[in-house]
Amino acid sequence: MTETLAVVTSVAADGTAICTQGLNGICGACTDRNSSCPEDNSSPPKQPVVFSVPNSLNARVNDVVRIGIPDSSIMISVLIAYVVPLLGLISGAALFEQMFKNDFAGIGGAFLGLTFGFCLAVFLSRVFVKTIWAPRMVGVLPTVPGCGTERKS
């Protein structure tokens, strides 16, 4: 599971937590970033990232939470983004080449197949965005790990 830390900024009545992954430290909960803050393994964002996640662990405002996405969803997203349009391109080219016995028809079929593959990939991404690709709350941290400064209020 791929995980990151975020701070709960608000909790909605429907059980959704609005989380922010900030610039100061890995979670944005520190008033200052210092050498004892844990390092993020990804490049820091240029502005805070705000997203919503189901509050399955009853986190409160200003809690630092671990947010995770299963590794299988990352692999599925890669397959949808790269393999589906590629299969559309190859099958469109082969189908039009066989139907019309012409290279230009094969090129046109490849273009149509690629377009269909991209449209199918967009449709599948909209279907999966609320299910397997949705971030999940994995844990609530009692304090900011390794942070030597006070948390924001």
Side-chain angles (χ1 to χ4, degrees):
M1 179 165 292
T2 303
E3 295 181 359
T4 188
L5 296 178
V7 176
V8 178
T9 55
S10 66
V11 178
D14 65 350
T16 303
I18 307 300
C19 298
T20 303
Q21 183 183 14
L23 296 173
N24 297 329
I26 192 170
C27 60
C30 302
T31 54
D32 266 336
R33 179 175 169 82
N34 62 25
S35 61
S36 65
C37 286
E39 291 293 327
D40 193 355
N41 55 2
S42 62
S43 61
K46 295 187 180 7
Q47 59 185 0
V49 177
V50 178
F51 54 92
S52 63
V53 62
N55 192 3
S56 58
L57 301 176
N58 296 324
R60 296 183 311 258
V61 175
N62 290 332
D63 280 349
V64 178
V65 294
R66 289 186 309 142
I67 305 294
I69 298 176
D71 290 333
S72 61
S73 6
I74 295 172
M75 183 58 72
I76 291 170
S77 67
V78 167
L79 288 174
I80 289 173
Y82 293 107
V83 175
V84 169
L86 180 64
L87 289 177
L89 180 134
I90 293 170
S91 59
L95 179 68
F96 274 61
E97 178 72 31
Q98 288 299 317
M99 283 176 47
F100 297 107
K101 307 285 188 217
N102 187 339
D103 288 340
F104 291 114
I107 293 170
F111 177 73
L112 289 176
L114 182 65
T115 304
F116 175 75
F118 277 124
C119 291
L120 182 61
V122 167
F123 172 76
L124 290 174
S125 70
R126 289 184 180 166
V127 168
F128 290 143
V129 75
K130 295 290 183 187
T131 56
I132 63 171
W133 291 341
R136 299 177 182 110
M137 200 176 285
V138 179
V140 178
L141 279 67
T143 60
V144 180
C147 199
T149 61
E150 296 181 17
R151 289 176 53 183
K152 291 180 185 175
S153 300

